[in-house]
Amino acid sequence: MQTTRSSAPGDAEKRARVLIIDDQPANITLLEAVLQRLGITAIRGLTDSRLALDALREFEPDLILLDLNMPYLSGIDLLQMFGTIIPKDEYLPILVLTGETDPASKLRALSSGATDMVGKPFVTAEVMMRIRNLLRARFLHLEVQDQKEVLEQRVTERTEELSRALAELKASEEQMMRQVRLHAFSEMAGGVVHDFNNALMAVIGYSELLLGDPAMLDDRTTVVECLQTMNIAGRDAAHVVSRLRDFYRPRDIGDLIALLDLNETLEQAVAITQPKWSNDALASSRTIQVQLDLEKLPLLNINEAELRELATNLIFNSVDAMPRGGTITIRSRRHEMGALIEFCDTGIGMPEDVRSRCLEPFFSTKGDKGTGLGLSMVFGIVKRHSGRLEIASTVGRGTTFSIYIPFVDVEAERQAAECPAPEKPLRILLVDDEPVTRDVVTRYLQMDGHAVTAVSSALAALT
């Protein structure tokens, strides 16, 4: 297999030909949508891995998107077969997208010839960046190959000139590859960013209320309530990016779990989302009411920020499902399985085909206004808390999300969470070049009774 097609790096997406090999038609459809967002139109999808070699020779792709776990021929089998067909000097990137993310599977795939790997479920923005960078590297390589062929045609006439040109070409190729790596790093450094508006709406909404009506500042109770809500929303926003990778990740030792009052967290979520279900809804001539029907429950072993994120997503989902207004009812009950939380709305409801798919990552019925991530994150949070999620929906009447979270042995959890306090105040040296961070951390430590010396540089710290 050898291709002579070349392209300028900036046209990589428009000129690219992508072969998708996955036994699940739904996965191929999802990847086709991702590729089309990049401007790629030359796409071929295969669900039968036995046809892959013929497609490779006939279609001559610039990128292969490959699943590992398939009938007939596995992804590892195909990687090994591709290695016997693709010339050693040809750079044809192969991006593996798989749910098998254990280290052994990764090592086996990479050693068999995979260029890069992404675990399923994946984040669209991350996959798009990886595809873009692989294609740019592919077309940069083709461009370099074309230049090499031209130079090699002159080798018999200008041996010395060719030697100099090849040396310059090698340096140019290395520089281009460095630029590709730096560009990839700069894009990845920006992070895979989800929509922060859910968490930030409370910060912006309540701060605008306080700034727009100075008289409110005289009401200490109101100001404290606004600041508490803004503080909670700000803390939740800090966790959003890290939670994007956590759709189905099990709970681990690094998770912030505590014994908390479920009802209090639900009330906080209602306050955080009020700017949307109240103010924004009224601005669009809708009236939406939120009713709380909360039963006294034992403490739950939960991640507070994640539970608020769950409640926030479900409240916003209900608001979007009520274009003419309606009522959202949030209930908490004791259940034989533990705690039962219900989010009920009187919205448009979901047909069965939508209800059965609504938890899939990137599935959305909101068009450009939706990311398809909200309900997937809800499902992941429930799973990490060893819970269960059920959805009942009737078209024209509304939807109910029922979440079951088990109770825990309070005393055992309390003992496990105990952390001994210092026997006496500490003398602490704080080094941070950000003035705001330095000031806030200093005040935190001083409030805890410690003596703090804060400096802005390593040199000052040594002194």
Side-chain angles (χ1 to χ4, degrees):
M1 174 183 174
Q2 179 66 44
T3 181
T4 58
R5 184 168 65 258
S6 63
S7 171
D11 294 331
E13 291 86 355
K14 297 180 182 178
R15 300 288 186 89
R17 301 163 67 85
V18 180
L19 175 62
I20 307 172
I21 307 172
D22 195 307
D23 62 312
Q24 297 296 323
N27 291 342
I28 292 180
T29 301
L30 171 61
L31 289 171
E32 286 176 342
V34 172
L35 293 169
Q36 289 167 1
R37 289 176 61 182
L38 285 169
I40 299 172
T41 57
I43 306 169
R44 177 172 295 186
L46 289 180
T47 56
D48 189 340
S49 58
R50 295 172 294 183
L51 304 176
L53 292 183
D54 290 337
L56 179 65
R57 296 187 182 97
E58 176 191 347
F59 188 59
E60 294 189 347
D62 299 299
L63 172 66
I64 299 175
L65 304 181
L66 178 65
D67 187 21
L68 286 186
N69 190 9
M70 296 182 292
Y72 307 123
L73 294 173
S74 70
I76 298 295
D77 294 333
L78 290 181
L79 284 169
Q80 295 171 347
M81 296 170 71
F82 289 161
T84 65
I85 297 175
I86 302 172
K88 298 296 183 183
D89 61 346
E90 182 178 356
Y91 176 71
L92 176 57
I94 302 175
L95 176 59
V96 171
L97 300 104
T98 178
E100 299 179 7
T101 57
D102 60 283
S105 297
K106 288 184 178 180
L107 181 60
R108 189 179 179 196
L110 293 172
S111 63
S112 297
T115 311
D116 198 359
M117 290 188 69
V118 175
K120 294 179 182 177
F122 55 76
V123 178
T124 300
E126 178 184 3
V127 172
M128 290 174 67
M129 284 188 287
R130 291 180 184 266
I131 290 174
R132 184 184 297 120
N133 291 329
L134 289 173
L135 287 174
R136 288 176 179 173
R138 160 73 171 173
F139 283 102
L140 282 170
H141 178 82
L142 290 177
E143 183 182 16
V144 170
Q145 291 296 99
D146 289 345
Q147 293 180 33
K148 284 183 178 180
E149 290 179 6
V150 171
L151 291 171
E152 289 171 354
Q153 292 174 2
R154 300 168 55 191
V155 69
T156 57
E157 301 174 2
R158 303 182 183 179
T159 304
E160 293 182 1
E161 181 182 347
L162 178 60
S163 298
R164 290 193 299 268
L166 286 174
E168 294 173 0
L169 181 61
K170 183 178 179 181
S172 174
E173 183 178 7
E174 290 175 354
Q175 177 64 24
M176 280 189 274
M177 293 307 297
R178 280 197 295 269
Q179 291 176 354
V180 169
R181 294 190 192 102
L182 287 173
H183 183 74
F185 177 77
S186 65
E187 289 198 1
M188 293 302 295
V192 182
V193 180
H194 183 49
D195 189 3
F196 278 94
N197 289 341
N198 287 2
L200 296 182
M201 180 164 294
V203 177
I204 296 172
Y206 284 108
S207 62
E208 286 183 346
L209 286 174
L210 294 174
L211 293 172
D213 185 5
M216 291 180 64
L217 298 175
D218 296 331
D219 186 343
R220 181 181 178 85
T221 301
T222 300
V223 171
V224 170
E225 290 176 353
C226 290
L227 290 174
Q228 287 175 338
T229 303
M230 292 162 61
N231 180 267
I232 290 169
R235 290 175 181 272
D236 290 349
H239 293 282
V240 171
V241 171
S242 63
R243 286 199 298 272
L244 286 177
R245 63 177 174 83
D246 290 344
F247 291 132
Y248 306 111
R249 176 183 63 80
R251 180 186 298 179
D252 60 36
I253 195 169
D255 289 333
L256 298 176
I257 305 299
L259 294 169
L260 298 170
D261 185 336
L262 168 67
N263 293 339
E264 182 179 339
T265 306
L266 295 175
E267 290 169 353
Q268 291 170 350
V270 172
I272 289 173
T273 57
Q274 184 174 354
K276 180 164 184 173
W277 60 258
S278 178
N279 304 346
D280 288 5
L282 287 175
S284 58
S285 302
R286 292 184 293 166
T287 299
I288 295 178
Q289 295 182 336
V290 176
Q291 297 179 349
L292 292 174
D293 182 9
L294 308 178
E295 180 181 295
K296 182 66 175 178
L297 298 171
L299 298 180
L300 285 177
N301 188 31
I302 56 178
N303 182 306
E304 185 178 14
E306 287 196 342
L307 187 63
R308 271 196 303 272
E309 177 73 10
L310 176 150
T312 299
N313 273 309
L314 291 179
I315 292 171
F316 284 169
N317 196 69
S318 294
V319 172
D320 292 336
M322 296 189 291
R324 290 182 292 275
T327 301
I328 303 172
T329 303
I330 304 175
R331 301 189 185 94
S332 66
R333 294 286 187 271
R334 184 188 292 268
H335 188 269
E336 60 183 10
M337 294 181 59
L340 167 62
I341 318 168
E342 290 185 333
F343 293 80
C344 309
D345 66 60
T346 58
I348 58 177
M350 294 183 286
E352 179 57 27
D353 60 328
V354 174
R355 189 201 67 80
S356 63
R357 297 189 58 198
C358 67
L359 299 179
E360 295 179 11
F362 312 111
F363 177 78
S364 175
T365 59
K366 302 175 186 177
D368 294 337
K369 296 181 179 179
T371 63
L373 294 173
L375 293 182
S376 296
M377 294 180 71
V378 167
F379 181 68
I381 291 169
V382 172
K383 286 297 183 182
R384 279 196 299 284
H385 287 82
S386 303
R388 194 180 81 198
L389 172 62
E390 295 179 355
I391 306 172
S393 187
T394 303
V395 175
R397 298 184 62 182
T399 301
T400 297
F401 287 84
S402 300
I403 298 165
Y404 302 87
I405 298 179
F407 294 129
V408 296
D409 184 335
V410 175
E411 185 57 33
E413 292 288 342
R414 193 184 306 277
Q415 292 177 1
E418 286 181 353
C419 178
E423 296 181 359
K424 61 181 180 179
L426 305 176
R427 293 190 300 169
I428 298 175
L429 173 62
L430 170 64
V431 189
D432 199 301
D433 63 334
E434 291 291 338
V436 174
T437 304
R438 193 166 62 247
D439 181 62
V440 170
V441 176
T442 297
R443 291 174 184 266
Y444 275 145
L445 295 171
Q446 289 174 341
M447 288 174 59
D448 213 24
H450 303 299
V452 182
T453 299
V455 296
S456 61
S457 68
L459 181 59
L462 289 173
T463 303

